[in-house]
Amino acid sequence: MDFNKESQVSCSWYAQIENCLLQLLWHLIHVTIDLWYFPLGIADVLESYLISWGLLGRYKSFNVTKLRYLAIVVDSEEVFQTSKIIKLLQWLEAVGIKHVCLYDNEGVLKKSKNFILEKLDGTILFWDAHENDVLSDRQHMTLEFVSFSDGKEAVVKAANVLFMKYSKSGATDQNQKDEIFTESQMSNTLKTVGSGGPKPDLLLVYGPARCHLGFPAWRIPYTEIVHMGPLKSMNYGSLVKAIYKFTMVQPNYGK
Amino acid sequence: MEFLYKVVRFLIKCMFCVVSVGPIPSHIAFIMDGNRRFAKQRNMKVGAGHEAGYFALMSMLIHCSELGVKYVTAYAFSIDNFKRRTEEVECLVDLMTEKFESWCREDSIVNMFGIRVHFSGNLQLLSEPLRDAAKKLTAATVGNSRVFLTLCVAYTSTNEIVRAVEKSCEEKWAEDQESSVINLSDIEKRMYMVIAPDPDIIIRTSGENRLSNFLLWQSAGSCLVSTSAMWPEISFWHLIWAVLNFQRYQSLLKKKL
């Protein structure tokens, strides 16, 4: 009995040592990863300053017409940094971006839209420009403000519109259903419920991780998603680099 | 050689033990991009690239199983892929049919590792032999429970959303109640991917930064990882790197809360 008790104590002791060793190794690996990222971060900052000062030739002037619609996703922790967001938008305007969609999960940016628009001369809402048919000849930028409610909730609204619309016609035939439930019908219905904005070509994420945070799913099937780091560390050079890299991409769309 | 293999396997298991100290993702999804480029770089036929891709998938499945990842999803064939040359599509369909049929055997790797296979996608777009092989495989692995593997075949997210909306409308029409309203849970429970939780990590190979119409609905909180390696080149290290970065992100979230 004493022998059994002793061996149990020994096993428990060995298990504790093993556990401590594993914890130590785990922390060591993560410290090593942090150390790995540190010089990479410094190199990125240096490169972004070189780009900002115009010392890297290829970033000095490039064609941004390929980037027809840009989306910016801001993490909810940083979304109250309105001055940073306004500065970011000013940089985008300077680069030549015409149409920008701002997204945050909770819709804080939507509530601040009037304040943001006031700070940017001549910038108007995308939907106002669209209605007045002045999208293509704008000298200044258009802005769209989007939140989580424009994603899944908008699809639910669109589903109910389709449901009600075709309830009356009694669509039970498979051919009729094949005509109602198509992707183009869905896109049109999302427009009618106010969530049918263009599909962004590029989506820049300002936050702790590369994660689109619920940007309306219907709009990002082939969108390039790039992580820019926290908003508080944003810089002009990194922005230019991300846009330049996008202009070099040649997607094949599954073909 | 066998000794070296055993040493490598031992080291991998040790690495998994260390990594498992931190949170392990319950669901990892893979966009298996780069089979054709892999074949082209090595002057191989495109079919050989896809065959190499199959072995990479097996390797990832085994590693995920050993790491304790419960759900694995792989983007095997997109609806957009039907636009490829006929010979390539036929080659892919034949490869999938052959592998799904072989997985039905009791001694197959899928059964050895307790992998339950499910298919997400508009299977009506597939040829009958492939569709039958998929159904047979789903039934043959229904008793497995160690890992849930979802193969997205004839799949795009936008198609998934439209089909879920269609099914929700059909069920409400069948209820025939004046006050019927479709809500979010009605649509979500009719998604192809309802059998798995939202992915914690989505890994795309070949250095591309798009989701290419994959799990758009389910990926709001997913860490998106891009690696420049082609899919057949993906290894244990890429998986470990993705998991370690996921753990870093989790610790950042915890600090905020």
Side-chain angles (χ1 to χ4, degrees):
Chain A
M1 286 291 284
D2 285 338
F3 177 76
N4 281 339
K5 202 175 174 182
E6 267 180 36
S7 70
Q8 272 176 15
V9 167
S10 299
C11 284
S12 160
W13 204 66
Y14 284 134
Q16 280 185 25
I17 292 175
E18 186 189 339
N19 199 34
C20 282
L21 191 62
L22 287 174
Q23 296 256 353
L24 187 64
L25 285 170
W26 184 82
H27 283 290
L28 198 61
I29 287 174
H30 275 282
V31 164
T32 309
I33 292 175
D34 288 340
L35 289 174
W36 165 261
Y37 276 124
F38 183 67
L40 288 182
I42 293 183
D44 277 342
V45 168
L46 279 172
E47 190 188 19
S48 63
Y49 277 117
L50 290 173
I51 295 170
S52 301
W53 296 332
L55 296 175
L56 291 180
R58 63 177 182 268
Y59 298 110
K60 270 189 191 170
S61 63
F62 53 90
N63 193 348
V64 296
T65 50
K66 189 178 169 186
L67 182 45
R68 291 157 301 183
Y69 206 81
L70 172 71
I72 304 280
V73 167
V74 183
D75 183 68
S76 50
E77 291 283 309
E78 298 192 284
V79 80
F80 294 99
Q81 297 181 49
T82 327
S83 56
K84 287 265 183 191
I85 289 165
I86 290 165
K87 196 170 183 184
L88 178 62
L89 292 170
Q90 286 168 338
W91 286 345
L92 288 170
E93 197 174 19
V95 168
I97 305 301
K98 293 292 173 208
H99 308 293
V100 177
C101 176
L102 284 173
Y103 171 89
D104 74 285
N105 196 282
E106 273 102 46
V108 171
L109 291 172
K110 258 187 194 173
K111 291 172 193 161
S112 316
K113 74 176 176 206
N114 290 332
F115 177 78
I116 293 170
L117 287 168
E118 270 171 34
K119 297 289 178 187
L120 298 162
D121 286 333
T123 303
I124 65 166
L125 289 173
F126 176 81
W127 290 112
D128 289 344
H130 187 261
E131 268 174 29
N132 299 326
D133 202 21
V134 292
L135 275 174
S136 56
D137 55 5
R138 291 279 307 164
Q139 293 296 312
H140 297 280
M141 232 167 34
T142 68
L143 285 183
E144 189 190 357
F145 293 85
V146 161
S147 67
F148 193 75
S149 62
D150 296 294
K152 291 185 179 182
E153 288 177 26
V155 169
V156 173
K157 281 184 203 166
N160 279 294
V161 165
L162 288 170
F163 172 64
M164 293 307 296
K165 187 175 171 185
Y166 293 102
S167 279
K168 294 164 193 170
S169 64
T172 53
D173 178 66
Q174 190 56 49
N175 287 336
Q176 285 175 303
K177 283 182 200 165
D178 287 346
E179 281 169 24
I180 297 165
F181 297 106
T182 62
E183 292 186 25
S184 59
Q185 271 276 42
M186 192 72 198
S187 293
N188 292 336
T189 314
L190 282 166
K191 277 185 191 147
T192 62
V193 302
S195 297
K199 294 180 166 72
D201 302 296
L202 175 63
L203 190 147
L204 302 178
V205 180
Y206 284 93
R210 185 164 165 254
C211 180
H212 67 72
L213 302 177
F215 191 93
W218 193 260
R219 295 175 64 175
I220 52 169
Y222 303 106
T223 304
E224 296 283 317
I225 301 172
V226 176
H227 181 219
M228 302 298 289
L231 190 68
K232 64 180 181 211
S233 315
M234 70 175 204
N235 61 70
Y236 179 74
S238 300
L239 181 67
V240 167
K241 185 179 172 184
I243 294 172
Y244 171 80
K245 276 181 142 181
F246 166 78
T247 61
M248 297 289 118
V249 167
Q250 310 255 355
N252 60 7
Y253 302 110
K255 286 184 215 164
Chain B
M1 198 66 187
E2 199 184 314
F3 174 73
L4 189 63
Y5 172 75
K6 282 183 178 172
V7 166
V8 167
R9 291 290 307 150
F10 174 73
L11 290 172
I12 288 174
K13 281 195 174 165
C14 288
M15 193 67 196
F16 283 153
C17 284
V18 174
V19 172
S20 300
V21 169
I24 294 296
S26 68
H27 183 181
I28 299 180
F30 296 97
I31 300 177
M32 304 188 290
D33 191 14
N35 290 341
R36 293 185 297 177
R37 270 167 279 179
F38 177 84
K40 194 176 175 184
Q41 277 175 9
R42 286 154 182 77
N43 294 320
M44 293 157 64
K45 287 184 182 171
V46 170
H50 291 304
E51 184 85 34
Y54 164 76
F55 287 110
L57 175 61
M58 289 296 100
S59 165
M60 280 299 109
L61 261 183
I62 292 166
H63 290 322
C64 285
S65 164
E66 291 173 336
L67 191 51
V69 176
K70 191 73 178 172
Y71 297 89
V72 176
T73 300
Y75 201 7
F77 191 85
S78 162
I79 291 176
D80 296 327
N81 294 153
F82 280 114
K83 297 176 205 163
R84 291 184 179 182
R85 289 180 305 120
T86 314
E87 307 85 63
E88 188 186 342
V89 173
E90 281 175 3
C91 171
L92 271 167
V93 166
D94 290 343
L95 177 68
M96 285 193 284
T97 312
E98 179 206 327
K99 297 304 179 191
F100 298 163
E101 283 172 355
S102 72
W103 285 0
C104 289
R105 292 200 309 261
E106 271 199 37
D107 61 347
S108 71
I109 198 163
V110 156
N111 284 317
M112 273 169 57
F113 280 88
I115 298 168
R116 181 174 171 180
V117 184
H118 167 80
F119 288 88
S120 280
N122 195 344
L123 302 188
Q124 294 308 311
L125 298 175
L126 300 175
S127 63
E128 203 179 324
L130 179 53
R131 200 165 57 242
D132 289 344
K135 283 183 187 162
K136 200 173 150 195
L137 179 57
T138 306
T141 58
V142 74
N144 297 337
S145 58
R146 191 170 162 191
V147 175
F148 287 80
L149 169 64
T150 303
L151 290 172
C152 291
V153 180
Y155 174 93
T156 59
S157 258
T158 44
N159 181 265
E160 181 185 23
I161 292 168
V162 169
R163 293 282 81 81
V165 165
E166 180 181 1
K167 284 181 214 165
S168 304
C169 287
E170 280 174 354
E171 296 211 5
K172 292 293 177 185
W173 282 327
E175 280 174 19
D176 198 24
Q177 289 177 12
E178 277 190 22
S179 57
S180 282
V181 169
I182 295 171
N183 53 43
L184 184 60
S185 63
D186 290 325
I187 294 175
E188 293 204 309
K189 65 187 178 200
R190 286 163 185 90
M191 290 275 180
Y192 296 137
M193 289 299 299
V194 68
I195 53 117
D198 289 348
D200 298 296
I201 306 175
I202 300 179
I203 299 174
R204 179 167 187 158
T205 48
S206 297
E208 304 293 345
N209 290 315
R210 301 178 295 279
L211 286 170
S212 293
N213 220 333
F214 179 60
L215 303 185
L216 304 176
W217 185 272
Q218 297 84 358
S219 55
S222 308
C223 285
L224 309 176
V225 176
S226 177
T227 169
S228 56
M230 307 291 168
W231 174 251
E233 295 168 337
I234 196 170
S235 72
F236 151 84
W237 292 111
H238 297 103
L239 179 66
I240 289 292
W241 184 249
V243 172
L244 287 171
N245 277 290
F246 164 77
Q247 291 176 347
R248 282 178 94 233
Y249 179 50
Q250 294 294 300
S251 73
L252 277 170
L253 282 181
K254 266 192 188 167
K255 279 179 195 165
K256 282 187 194 179
L257 298 169

